[in-house]
Amino acid sequence: MKIQLYGVRGSLPDSDQPQKRIITTENLLNEFSKSPIPDAGEFLKSVPNLISGGLGTGTTSIYVKSNNTEDLLIDGGSGIRRLGDEMSSSGRFKAAPIHILMTHFHWDHLIGLPFFSPLYQSEAEIHFHCVQGFSEEALKTVFKKPFFPVPFKMLKSNIKFHTLNPRVVNEINGFNVIPYKLQHPDPCWGFKIEKNGKVYSHCVDNEGDKMSREALGEDLPIYQNVDLCYFDAQYSVSDFFDRPNWGHSTAQIGLEIGMREGIKQMLFAHHDPASTAEQILEMASELEVFYKNKLTQSEEKNLGLKPVKWEYAQEGTVFEL
Ligand SMILES: [Zn+2]
Ligand SMILES: [Zn+2]
Protein backbone atom coordinates (compact mmCIF):
# COMPACT_ATOMS: atom_id res chain seq x y z
CA MET A 1 0.00 0.00 0.00
CA LYS A 2 1.33 3.42 -1.00
CA ILE A 3 0.16 6.65 0.62
CA GLN A 4 0.78 9.80 -1.40
CA LEU A 5 0.15 13.28 0.01
CA TYR A 6 -1.49 15.68 -2.46
CA GLY A 7 -2.53 18.30 0.10
CA VAL A 8 -1.45 18.69 3.73
CA ARG A 9 -2.61 22.23 4.59
CA GLY A 10 -5.56 22.92 6.87
CA SER A 11 -8.44 25.39 6.70
CA LEU A 12 -7.34 27.26 3.56
CA PRO A 13 -4.93 26.66 0.66
CA ASP A 14 -1.90 28.85 1.24
CA SER A 15 1.85 28.83 0.90
CA ASP A 16 4.78 30.98 1.92
CA GLN A 17 4.65 34.29 0.08
CA PRO A 18 6.90 34.39 -3.00
CA GLN A 19 9.07 37.08 -1.34
CA LYS A 20 9.57 34.75 1.63
CA ARG A 21 10.57 31.86 -0.64
CA ILE A 22 13.09 34.17 -2.35
CA ILE A 23 14.65 34.96 1.05
CA THR A 24 14.77 31.23 1.83
CA THR A 25 16.41 30.60 -1.56
CA GLU A 26 18.91 33.42 -0.97
CA ASN A 27 19.78 31.94 2.44
CA LEU A 28 20.21 28.52 0.85
CA LEU A 29 22.50 29.95 -1.86
CA ASN A 30 24.60 31.67 0.84
CA GLU A 31 24.87 28.43 2.78
CA PHE A 32 25.74 26.54 -0.42
CA SER A 33 28.55 29.03 -1.22
CA LYS A 34 30.08 28.31 2.24
CA SER A 35 29.40 24.58 2.14
CA PRO A 36 32.18 22.02 1.51
CA ILE A 37 29.69 20.10 -0.72
CA PRO A 38 30.51 21.12 -4.34
CA ASP A 39 27.36 19.76 -6.04
CA ALA A 40 24.10 21.76 -5.68
CA GLY A 41 21.93 18.61 -5.87
CA GLU A 42 23.96 16.92 -3.13
CA PHE A 43 23.83 20.10 -1.01
CA LEU A 44 20.00 20.22 -1.28
CA LYS A 45 19.83 16.65 0.01
CA SER A 46 21.62 17.85 3.17
CA VAL A 47 18.94 20.54 3.80
CA PRO A 48 15.66 19.62 5.57
CA ASN A 49 13.01 18.79 2.93
CA LEU A 50 10.58 21.32 4.40
CA ILE A 51 13.10 24.15 3.91
CA SER A 52 14.13 23.25 0.36
CA GLY A 53 10.59 22.50 -0.86
CA GLY A 54 8.17 24.22 1.54
CA LEU A 55 5.06 22.55 2.97
CA GLY A 56 2.97 22.75 -0.17
CA THR A 57 -0.21 24.71 -0.79
CA GLY A 58 -2.99 22.14 -1.17
CA THR A 59 -5.62 21.32 1.43
CA THR A 60 -6.42 17.73 2.40
CA SER A 61 -6.17 15.22 -0.41
CA ILE A 62 -4.59 11.82 0.21
CA TYR A 63 -4.15 8.99 -2.29
CA VAL A 64 -4.04 5.42 -1.03
CA LYS A 65 -2.96 2.97 -3.71
CA SER A 66 -2.42 -0.77 -3.82
CA ASN A 67 -2.17 -1.30 -7.59
CA ASN A 68 -3.22 0.46 -10.80
CA THR A 69 -6.96 0.27 -10.14
CA GLU A 70 -7.12 -0.63 -6.43
CA ASP A 71 -6.97 2.80 -4.88
CA LEU A 72 -8.87 5.20 -2.63
CA LEU A 73 -8.93 8.98 -2.48
CA ILE A 74 -9.51 10.73 0.82
CA ASP A 75 -11.23 14.14 0.78
CA GLY A 76 -11.59 16.73 -1.95
CA GLY A 77 -9.31 19.52 -0.72
CA SER A 78 -7.54 21.68 -3.27
CA GLY A 79 -4.81 19.03 -3.63
CA ILE A 80 -7.27 16.73 -5.46
CA ARG A 81 -7.01 18.90 -8.60
CA ARG A 82 -3.51 17.63 -9.40
CA LEU A 83 -4.46 14.02 -8.55
CA GLY A 84 -7.50 14.29 -10.87
CA ASP A 85 -5.36 15.65 -13.71
CA GLU A 86 -2.95 12.71 -13.27
CA MET A 87 -5.89 10.27 -13.31
CA SER A 88 -7.19 11.89 -16.50
CA SER A 89 -3.87 11.89 -18.35
CA SER A 90 -2.99 8.31 -17.34
CA GLY A 91 -6.43 7.02 -18.34
CA ARG A 92 -7.05 5.74 -14.79
CA PHE A 93 -10.49 7.46 -14.80
CA LYS A 94 -11.85 4.99 -17.39
CA ALA A 95 -10.01 1.86 -16.22
CA ALA A 96 -12.20 1.27 -13.12
CA PRO A 97 -14.53 3.23 -10.81
CA ILE A 98 -12.92 5.91 -8.63
CA HIS A 99 -13.75 5.87 -4.91
CA ILE A 100 -13.55 9.01 -2.76
CA LEU A 101 -13.89 8.80 1.04
CA MET A 102 -15.15 12.03 2.62
CA THR A 103 -14.25 12.74 6.27
CA HIS A 104 -16.58 15.75 6.54
CA PHE A 105 -17.77 18.75 4.53
CA HIS A 106 -15.84 21.78 5.74
CA TRP A 107 -14.74 23.92 2.80
CA ASP A 108 -11.07 22.96 2.95
CA HIS A 109 -12.07 19.31 2.29
CA LEU A 110 -14.45 20.12 -0.62
CA ILE A 111 -12.88 23.04 -2.39
CA GLY A 112 -10.93 21.01 -4.97
CA LEU A 113 -13.89 18.92 -6.18
CA PRO A 114 -15.11 21.35 -8.91
CA PHE A 115 -11.58 21.06 -10.35
CA PHE A 116 -11.38 17.24 -10.19
CA SER A 117 -11.27 16.56 -13.93
CA PRO A 118 -12.64 12.94 -13.91
CA LEU A 119 -16.01 14.38 -12.75
CA TYR A 120 -16.34 15.88 -16.25
CA GLN A 121 -15.50 12.66 -18.16
CA SER A 122 -18.42 10.58 -19.47
CA GLU A 123 -16.35 7.37 -19.18
CA ALA A 124 -15.71 7.91 -15.44
CA GLU A 125 -17.70 6.30 -12.64
CA ILE A 126 -17.13 8.05 -9.32
CA HIS A 127 -18.33 6.83 -5.93
CA PHE A 128 -18.47 9.10 -2.89
CA HIS A 129 -18.48 7.42 0.54
CA CYS A 130 -19.17 9.04 3.91
CA VAL A 131 -20.70 8.19 7.28
CA GLN A 132 -22.79 11.37 7.47
CA GLY A 133 -25.03 10.30 4.58
CA PHE A 134 -25.44 13.79 3.11
CA SER A 135 -22.58 13.78 0.60
CA GLU A 136 -25.00 14.17 -2.34
CA GLU A 137 -26.59 17.30 -0.87
CA ALA A 138 -23.19 18.73 0.14
CA LEU A 139 -21.62 18.07 -3.26
CA LYS A 140 -24.54 19.57 -5.15
CA THR A 141 -24.23 22.70 -2.98
CA VAL A 142 -20.62 23.16 -4.11
CA PHE A 143 -21.80 23.27 -7.74
CA LYS A 144 -24.74 25.65 -7.07
CA LYS A 145 -24.84 29.11 -8.60
CA PRO A 146 -23.54 31.67 -7.72
CA PHE A 147 -20.73 29.66 -6.07
CA PHE A 148 -19.65 27.83 -9.25
CA PRO A 149 -20.72 28.32 -12.88
CA VAL A 150 -21.09 24.64 -13.86
CA PRO A 151 -24.18 23.06 -12.27
CA PHE A 152 -23.96 19.53 -10.85
CA LYS A 153 -26.31 18.15 -13.54
CA MET A 154 -23.79 19.16 -16.22
CA LEU A 155 -21.14 16.76 -14.85
CA LYS A 156 -20.76 13.97 -17.38
CA SER A 157 -19.44 11.22 -15.10
CA ASN A 158 -21.63 8.58 -13.47
CA ILE A 159 -21.70 9.67 -9.81
CA LYS A 160 -22.92 7.46 -6.96
CA PHE A 161 -23.25 8.12 -3.23
CA HIS A 162 -22.84 5.63 -0.39
CA THR A 163 -23.35 5.84 3.36
CA LEU A 164 -20.68 4.04 5.38
CA ASN A 165 -21.37 2.03 8.52
CA PRO A 166 -19.36 3.40 11.46
CA ARG A 167 -16.92 1.25 13.45
CA VAL A 168 -17.29 -1.83 11.23
CA VAL A 169 -15.46 -3.00 8.12
CA ASN A 170 -16.76 -1.49 4.86
CA GLU A 171 -15.18 -3.23 1.85
CA ILE A 172 -14.33 -0.63 -0.79
CA ASN A 173 -12.30 -1.32 -3.95
CA GLY A 174 -10.21 -4.06 -2.32
CA PHE A 175 -9.60 -2.23 0.99
CA ASN A 176 -11.14 -2.70 4.43
CA VAL A 177 -12.26 0.74 5.60
CA ILE A 178 -13.36 1.26 9.21
CA PRO A 179 -14.67 4.75 10.07
CA TYR A 180 -14.16 6.12 13.62
CA LYS A 181 -15.43 9.42 14.97
CA LEU A 182 -12.86 12.17 15.53
CA GLN A 183 -13.22 15.18 17.83
CA HIS A 184 -14.33 17.90 15.45
CA PRO A 185 -17.46 19.97 14.89
CA ASP A 186 -20.16 18.95 12.40
CA PRO A 187 -18.76 16.02 12.83
CA CYS A 188 -15.69 14.46 11.17
CA TRP A 189 -15.00 10.75 10.68
CA GLY A 190 -11.50 9.32 10.45
CA PHE A 191 -10.69 6.15 8.51
CA LYS A 192 -8.66 3.09 9.42
CA ILE A 193 -7.71 1.50 6.09
CA GLU A 194 -6.36 -2.06 5.95
CA LYS A 195 -4.82 -3.94 3.04
CA ASN A 196 -2.55 -7.02 3.05
CA GLY A 197 -1.96 -6.74 6.82
CA LYS A 198 -0.86 -3.08 6.65
CA VAL A 199 -2.84 -0.25 8.23
CA TYR A 200 -3.11 3.46 7.41
CA SER A 201 -5.06 5.59 9.88
CA HIS A 202 -6.40 8.97 8.76
CA CYS A 203 -7.09 11.18 11.81
CA VAL A 204 -7.73 14.67 10.40
CA ASP A 205 -9.61 16.94 11.36
CA ASN A 206 -9.27 16.15 15.03
CA GLU A 207 -8.90 18.13 18.26
CA GLY A 208 -7.55 15.09 20.08
CA ASP A 209 -8.51 16.45 23.50
CA LYS A 210 -9.96 13.08 24.47
CA MET A 211 -6.69 11.22 24.91
CA SER A 212 -7.15 8.45 27.47
CA ARG A 213 -8.28 5.02 26.39
CA GLU A 214 -11.42 5.46 28.51
CA ALA A 215 -12.30 8.82 26.92
CA LEU A 216 -11.70 7.49 23.39
CA GLY A 217 -13.92 4.50 24.13
CA GLU A 218 -15.32 2.85 21.01
CA ASP A 219 -13.14 5.08 18.79
CA LEU A 220 -9.83 3.98 20.38
CA PRO A 221 -9.11 1.31 17.70
CA ILE A 222 -8.31 4.01 15.10
CA TYR A 223 -4.99 4.36 16.98
CA GLN A 224 -4.30 0.66 17.56
CA ASN A 225 -2.26 -1.73 15.36
CA VAL A 226 -1.44 1.12 12.99
CA ASP A 227 1.57 1.34 10.64
CA LEU A 228 1.11 4.95 9.53
CA CYS A 229 -1.10 7.55 11.23
CA TYR A 230 -1.91 10.93 9.66
CA PHE A 231 -2.68 13.21 12.61
CA ASP A 232 -3.98 16.78 12.96
CA ALA A 233 -1.18 19.05 14.19
CA GLN A 234 -2.46 22.43 13.03
CA TYR A 235 -1.32 24.27 16.14
CA SER A 236 1.74 24.80 18.28
CA VAL A 237 1.18 23.82 21.93
CA SER A 238 0.43 27.43 22.99
CA ASP A 239 -2.00 28.02 20.08
CA PHE A 240 -3.73 24.75 20.97
CA PHE A 241 -4.47 25.98 24.50
CA ASP A 242 -5.61 29.39 23.15
CA ARG A 243 -8.09 27.77 20.74
CA PRO A 244 -10.24 25.30 22.65
CA ASN A 245 -13.06 23.67 20.64
CA TRP A 246 -11.63 24.85 17.30
CA GLY A 247 -11.39 21.19 16.31
CA HIS A 248 -7.63 20.92 15.72
CA SER A 249 -4.75 19.44 17.64
CA THR A 250 -1.04 19.68 18.27
CA ALA A 251 1.66 17.11 17.49
CA GLN A 252 2.46 16.55 21.18
CA ILE A 253 -1.00 15.02 21.69
CA GLY A 254 -0.66 12.74 18.68
CA LEU A 255 2.82 11.63 19.68
CA GLU A 256 1.69 10.78 23.21
CA ILE A 257 -1.19 8.66 21.86
CA GLY A 258 1.13 7.07 19.27
CA MET A 259 3.78 6.16 21.88
CA ARG A 260 1.16 4.65 24.16
CA GLU A 261 -0.58 2.63 21.44
CA GLY A 262 2.58 1.55 19.58
CA ILE A 263 1.84 3.32 16.28
CA LYS A 264 4.87 2.69 14.03
CA GLN A 265 4.98 6.04 12.20
CA MET A 266 3.16 9.37 12.58
CA LEU A 267 2.69 12.17 10.08
CA PHE A 268 1.73 15.54 11.54
CA ALA A 269 -0.43 17.53 9.13
CA HIS A 270 -3.34 19.93 8.48
CA HIS A 271 -0.79 22.74 8.81
CA ASP A 272 -2.20 26.13 9.70
CA PRO A 273 -2.42 28.34 6.57
CA ALA A 274 -0.22 30.87 8.41
CA SER A 275 2.54 28.34 9.19
CA THR A 276 5.81 28.62 7.30
CA ALA A 277 8.25 25.76 6.81
CA GLU A 278 10.61 27.51 9.24
CA GLN A 279 7.89 27.64 11.94
CA ILE A 280 7.10 23.96 11.39
CA LEU A 281 10.80 23.13 11.81
CA GLU A 282 10.81 25.07 15.10
CA MET A 283 7.76 23.07 16.19
CA ALA A 284 9.62 19.90 15.18
CA SER A 285 12.62 20.76 17.35
CA GLU A 286 10.30 21.41 20.34
CA LEU A 287 8.61 18.09 19.59
CA GLU A 288 12.00 16.32 19.52
CA VAL A 289 12.71 17.55 23.09
CA PHE A 290 9.21 16.46 24.19
CA TYR A 291 9.70 13.05 22.55
CA LYS A 292 13.09 12.40 24.18
CA ASN A 293 11.72 13.46 27.60
CA LYS A 294 8.78 11.08 27.20
CA LEU A 295 11.11 8.19 26.33
CA THR A 296 13.34 8.95 29.36
CA GLN A 297 10.31 9.25 31.67
CA SER A 298 8.96 5.99 30.31
CA GLU A 299 12.24 4.18 31.03
CA GLU A 300 12.53 5.67 34.55
CA LYS A 301 8.92 5.00 35.54
CA ASN A 302 8.35 1.89 33.43
CA LEU A 303 5.41 3.47 31.57
CA GLY A 304 5.73 1.20 28.54
CA LEU A 305 5.74 4.01 25.94
CA LYS A 306 7.12 2.86 22.61
CA PRO A 307 9.45 4.65 20.16
CA VAL A 308 7.62 6.16 17.18
CA LYS A 309 9.03 7.38 13.88
CA TRP A 310 7.51 10.80 13.18
CA GLU A 311 7.71 13.76 10.83
CA TYR A 312 5.70 16.79 9.72
CA ALA A 313 3.89 16.16 6.43
CA GLN A 314 5.05 17.70 3.17
CA GLU A 315 2.94 17.75 -0.01
CA GLY A 316 4.17 15.26 -2.62
CA THR A 317 5.71 12.75 -0.23
CA VAL A 318 5.02 9.05 -0.78
CA PHE A 319 5.04 6.42 1.98
CA GLU A 320 5.19 2.72 1.29
CA LEU A 321 3.73 0.27 3.84
ZN1 LIG B 1 -9.84 20.75 7.67
ZN1 LIG C 1 -12.97 20.55 9.55
Side-chain angles (χ1 to χ4, degrees), residues 200-274:
Y200 168 69
S201 217
H202 186 88
C203 302
V204 168
D205 300 358
N206 188 15
E207 183 145 350
D209 52 337
K210 285 184 196 164
M211 283 180 67
S212 69
R213 286 182 172 166
E214 294 70 30
L216 283 162
E218 59 187 348
D219 295 308
L220 172 66
I222 197 166
Y223 299 115
Q224 295 181 314
N225 303 311
V226 171
D227 294 287
L228 181 67
C229 175
Y230 188 82
F231 192 86
D232 190 322
Q234 178 150 345
Y235 301 138
S236 64
V237 174
S238 59
D239 284 347
F240 174 75
F241 287 111
D242 284 344
R243 296 169 186 181
N245 305 316
W246 283 34
H248 300 291
S249 195
T250 187
Q252 274 74 356
I253 286 183
L255 199 56
E256 203 157 344
I257 295 173
M259 292 174 82
R260 184 187 72 207
E261 301 302 336
I263 294 174
K264 293 200 179 80
Q265 186 170 4
M266 298 208 71
L267 285 179
F268 297 118
H270 206 271
H271 306 305
D272 195 88

Side-chain angles (χ1 to χ4, degrees), residues 6-208:
Y6 280 82
V8 299
R9 286 270 177 191
S11 305
L12 190 75
D14 208 345
S15 64
D16 292 353
Q17 286 187 319
Q19 293 86 341
K20 177 78 182 50
R21 293 305 304 165
I22 290 167
I23 293 168
T24 303
T25 308
E26 199 178 12
N27 289 341
L28 279 176
L29 285 171
N30 277 337
E31 280 175 39
F32 178 50
S33 68
K34 289 183 249 157
S35 156
I37 306 172
D39 180 70
E42 286 304 310
F43 169 75
L44 277 179
K45 282 184 199 161
S46 72
V47 174
N49 273 347
L50 291 183
I51 292 294
S52 56
L55 300 162
T57 307
T59 59
T60 310
S61 170
I62 306 296
Y63 189 41
V64 180
K65 184 174 176 178
S66 165
N67 65 35
N68 285 343
T69 52
E70 277 191 345
D71 49 11
L72 295 172
L73 285 68
I74 304 176
D75 280 349
S78 65
I80 203 172
R81 182 196 61 80
R82 188 172 298 128
L83 176 52
D85 289 351
E86 287 172 15
M87 290 180 128
S88 289
S89 58
S90 69
R92 164 64 189 86
F93 72 98
K94 54 187 169 187
I98 292 171
H99 295 266
I100 304 177
L101 309 179
M102 296 296 298
T103 59
H104 66 316
F105 300 95
H106 286 162
W107 280 115
D108 54 320
H109 299 255
L110 284 180
I111 201 166
L113 289 173
F115 304 92
F116 184 61
S117 50
L119 281 171
Y120 298 85
Q121 310 272 7
S122 60
E123 291 157 290
E125 183 176 310
I126 301 174
H127 296 248
F128 284 91
H129 304 263
C130 72
V131 173
Q132 292 89 334
F134 53 83
S135 58
E136 183 165 3
E137 187 192 330
L139 196 65
K140 285 181 175 169
T141 303
V142 174
F143 287 87
K144 258 192 194 143
K145 284 179 182 294
F147 307 118
F148 196 69
V150 182
F152 184 81
K153 63 176 186 225
M154 297 291 283
L155 301 179
K156 291 183 182 148
S157 56
N158 182 8
I159 302 169
K160 296 172 191 288
F161 297 93
H162 307 270
T163 302
L164 296 174
N165 293 312
R167 305 183 186 92
V168 294
V169 171
N170 296 259
E171 288 177 28
I172 306 172
N173 201 21
F175 296 85
N176 287 338
V177 177
I178 313 174
Y180 291 98
K181 200 173 194 182
L182 301 173
Q183 289 130 49
H184 195 68
D186 293 327
C188 178
W189 288 81
F191 301 112
K192 187 174 186 181
I193 298 174
E194 303 171 341
K195 176 82 186 174
N196 298 333
K198 297 290 179 185
V199 176
Y200 168 69
S201 217
H202 186 88
C203 302
V204 168
D205 300 358
N206 188 15
E207 183 145 350

